[in-house]
Amino acid sequence: DAEITQSPRHKITETGRQVTLACHQTWNHNNMFWYRQDLGHGLRLIHYSYGVHDTNKGEVSDGYSVSRSNTEDLPLTLESAASSQTSVYFCASSESSSGGYTFGSGTRLTVV
Amino acid sequence: ELKVEQNPLFLSMQEGKNYTIYCNYSTTSDRLYWYRQDPGKSLESLFVLLSNGAVKQEGRLMASLDTKARLSTLHITAAVHDLSATYFCAVTPWNSGYSTLTFGKGTMLLVSP
């Protein structure tokens, strides 16, 4: 069965370190997204991609970057982790908006 | 800037009662999504509403969309404990190519005996 997987599920890192969160989907979807979820804010869009070599900034992109070298993967990199980036991160993919969006199981990141 | 507002943000219900969660949004769109999230879990798709007047039902949940009023409702009929979760609505604005989702802050539903 097709799926979307995120790794790691949990990570603790120190302030200032570079961190990369992985997202891999086997749906063959062109569109991939990264969201962060914080209490009181719902989910907010960080970056998104419509296809290979395409990346776009979302609402809260400062301090984050993504790259899309193939259809299946959209890794999210925190260039220099800050305590404000402690959050739960969700990756999602879709083929089209009429088909809905599939979410990964999330990565809980703690920056100490 | 697209804004999506849900209310209430917290809802405590008794089993067997009915209630409605409201989702208002600030820009033109005819695509709205409802998700359920259990504590510590991912988001589960409940409904995808793709046109004005769309109504969808699954079990004790029914969702509707009024694009002219920029309003969607999620109606709960005869609530049971298993419906306890956080419910999110999300909208794709027309000027994003119907691609990026903007979420409301969520409604935490607690159903008690």
Side-chain angles (χ1 to χ4, degrees), chain B:
Chain B
E1 178 189 348
L2 170 59
K3 294 188 185 300
V4 180
E5 294 187 355
Q6 286 182 239
N7 70 82
L9 296 182
F10 179 75
L11 179 54
S12 180
M13 297 176 62
Q14 283 188 317
E15 283 190 329
K17 299 292 187 182
N18 304 332
Y19 208 83
T20 300
I21 299 170
Y22 297 88
C23 176
N24 290 90
Y25 55 96
S26 64
T27 193
T28 302
S29 177
D30 58 1
R31 302 193 178 194
L32 190 135
Y33 310 80
W34 284 97
Y35 290 90
R36 169 182 170 141
Q37 186 180 39
D38 292 299
K41 303 295 186 182
S42 185
L43 282 81
E44 173 191 356
S45 178
L46 293 175
F47 301 109
V48 180
L49 303 172
L50 299 177
S51 62
N52 184 40
V55 177
K56 291 195 174 181
Q57 182 164 5
E58 180 72 34
R60 300 175 187 274
L61 300 178
M62 183 174 71
S64 65
L65 178 61
D66 181 344
T67 60
K68 294 180 181 178
R70 298 180 181 174
L71 171 68
S72 179
T73 60
L74 180 65
H75 187 73
I76 303 157
T77 301
V80 293
H81 178 71
D82 285 352
L83 290 178
S84 297
T86 299
Y87 294 85
F88 291 94
C89 64
V91 176
T92 59
W94 69 272
N95 62 359
S96 78
Y98 288 116
S99 178
T100 59
L101 286 173
T102 298
F103 283 84
K105 292 184 178 181
T107 297
M108 183 180 294
L109 173 64
L110 176 63
V111 182
S112 53

Side-chain angles (χ1 to χ4, degrees), chain A residues 94-112:
Chain A
S94 74
E95 184 52 40
S96 68
S97 59
S98 60
Y101 298 73
T102 302
F103 282 81
S105 52
T107 294
R108 182 174 295 275
L109 177 69
T110 303
V111 182
V112 297

